[in-house]
Amino acid sequence: MARTALILTSATAVAFSLTACGGTGSDSSDGKTVTVYSADGVGDWYKTQFAKFKDQTGISVNLVEAGSAEVVNRVDKEQSNPQADVVVTLPPFMQKADKSGLLQTSGVDLAAYPASDKDANGKWVTLAGNYLCFIANPSVESTKLTWDDLLKTDYKGKIQYSTPGQAGDGTAVLILLQQLMGKQGALDYLTKLQANNVGPSSSTGKLQAKVDKGEILVANGDVQMNLATIKEKGSKFSVFFPAAADGKTSTVALPYLMGLAKGAPHSASGKKLMEYLLAADAQKALTDAMAVSARTDLKDAPAAAGSVSPASLVKNVEVLHPDWNKVLEDLDADVAAYTKATGS
């Protein structure tokens, strides 16, 4: 993510190819390798789909995973020598990429996607639907937890959330609280929460093991990542949404967005990959990855066998859809205010 006032993730990006481990980009000049820069979270789905894509097209995929902000930051730094073909990240970082001129119109047919899930100019589209959530150690009765409960001394040193401005999920925590309490109310709340907060974290995913082991009791997360970890690794933490004083629960939609990078060295092959990942067959497989397809013809797709579907999990939760362009406009100032208020 190209912004000067935000602290960028310190996590080292993991780059790998389905054919061999490699560097950030591809040295292929014949379009037989496509490089994807992506926010982490759907790696297993990627692995399966990229293998099928190679079988069908002969094109290998080099995947570079990093934090939501860092993905766009890398694209921006490499503008003099573009490496990425396809970019996948969370809002508002994709909107930042667009505003910074880091994307180009893909030309992919997006007719199966509703207007709310794609850019009017064809710069990005929802690759996989997702939602902000929280997770709790099995020792905690999470179904009854409220925002006020998290401020209790019982949780001193037992709560951690990923840092706004560094992680997409952490940024979403700030945005959700702004939606519920107003900007000053959100700052006041997070300032109080600092008494219980372990400290900053540039990675949301790393908080899962800490909650599972009981090192901390509560952390933020996202529905797709957390349900996938429960399914694939047998983690015992629960997924929940903190309630307001009136018992009402809310979340924000936090989709993985995909776009074609400006100056993509293999734009034609990048477009082919985008078309493949957005087609019905690949999108149907999102249920196995605990994500939701935005395709209008798959909105009622059943959950994977033996799994809880994200859609059923948020059935009685109010899903908020922020104006991400407005969020982006204010984000530098909001993160600066957050840092000052919490001392993070």
Side-chain angles (χ1 to χ4, degrees):
M1 174 185 179
R3 66 174 53 251
T4 55
L6 289 186
I7 305 170
L8 298 174
T9 179
S10 59
T12 301
V14 178
F16 63 93
S17 168
L18 294 179
T19 55
C21 292
T24 300
S26 163
D27 59 5
S28 171
S29 59
D30 58 6
K32 292 302 181 181
T33 301
V34 172
T35 295
V36 177
Y37 283 12
S38 178
D40 49 6
V42 288
D44 287 344
W45 179 74
Y46 276 149
K47 186 175 181 179
T48 299
Q49 298 309 316
F50 291 169
K52 291 180 178 179
F53 178 71
K54 183 181 179 182
D55 287 342
Q56 291 186 17
T57 66
I59 301 172
S60 299
V61 182
N62 182 50
L63 176 63
V64 178
E65 290 184 302
S68 303
E70 179 65 10
V71 164
V72 182
N73 183 56
R74 290 169 72 94
V75 176
D76 186 51
K77 287 181 177 178
E78 296 170 352
Q79 277 302 283
S80 61
N81 182 29
Q83 300 294 307
D85 297 301
V86 175
V87 179
V88 180
T89 193
L90 306 183
F93 306 116
M94 184 61 87
Q95 286 78 5
K96 174 60 179 179
D98 185 15
K99 184 178 180 181
S100 299
L102 303 180
L103 304 174
Q104 61 177 304
T105 301
S106 67
V108 174
D109 182 1
L110 303 178
Y113 290 79
S116 58
D117 282 286
K118 60 188 177 186
D119 174 54
N121 297 314
K123 297 288 186 67
W124 53 261
V125 62
T126 293
L127 175 63
N130 197 13
Y131 311 92
L132 172 71
C133 67
F134 283 74
I135 56 175
N137 182 267
S139 64
V140 177
E141 178 51 71
S142 60
T143 58
K144 299 180 181 179
L145 275 182
T146 67
W147 290 106
D148 287 341
D149 287 335
L150 299 182
L151 300 177
K152 293 179 178 178
T153 56
D154 301 8
Y155 294 99
K156 185 175 180 61
K158 292 297 182 179
I159 291 176
Q160 191 170 21
Y161 62 95
S162 51
T163 308
Q166 295 187 29
D169 297 321
T171 303
V173 171
L174 176 61
I175 301 307
L176 174 59
L177 290 172
Q178 288 179 342
Q179 298 283 310
L180 297 177
M181 306 174 183
K183 289 193 175 186
Q184 188 57 52
L187 291 178
D188 292 343
Y189 178 84
L190 290 171
T191 299
K192 294 176 183 177
L193 189 63
Q194 279 299 98
N196 294 341
N197 185 26
V198 172
S201 173
S202 61
S203 170
T204 310
K206 291 181 179 179
L207 301 181
Q208 296 180 110
K210 297 175 73 172
V211 174
D212 201 37
K213 295 175 183 177
E215 295 175 15
I216 56 176
L217 296 180
V218 175
N220 70 314
D222 65 68
V223 168
Q224 180 276 325
M225 175 178 65
N226 296 146
L227 290 184
T229 301
I230 291 172
K231 176 186 175 184
E232 296 161 8
K233 297 183 178 181
S235 295
K236 302 301 182 183
F237 53 71
S238 60
V239 176
F240 75 101
F241 305 90
D246 61 2
K248 184 178 181 180
T249 54
S250 305
T251 185
V252 293
L254 203 60
Y256 293 87
L257 304 177
M258 178 171 64
L260 188 65
K262 181 181 179 181
H266 313 111
S267 59
S269 295
K271 178 181 176 181
K272 286 182 182 179
L273 177 62
M274 290 179 65
E275 290 172 336
Y276 178 85
L277 295 177
L278 294 170
D281 285 347
Q283 288 285 301
K284 286 177 183 176
L286 282 173
T287 57
D288 294 326
M290 301 294 112
V292 180
S293 176
R295 287 183 64 101
T296 55
D297 55 348
L298 295 179
K299 63 180 181 179
D300 296 320
S307 301
V308 176
S309 73
S312 66
L313 198 63
V314 300
K315 185 177 181 180
N316 297 314
V317 179
E318 182 182 17
V319 178
L320 304 175
H321 297 270
D323 179 344
W324 290 110
N325 287 314
K326 177 60 176 174
V327 169
L328 177 62
E329 183 180 313
D330 297 343
L331 191 57
D332 282 339
D334 287 347
V335 171
Y338 162 82
T339 302
K340 181 179 179 180
T342 62
S344 298

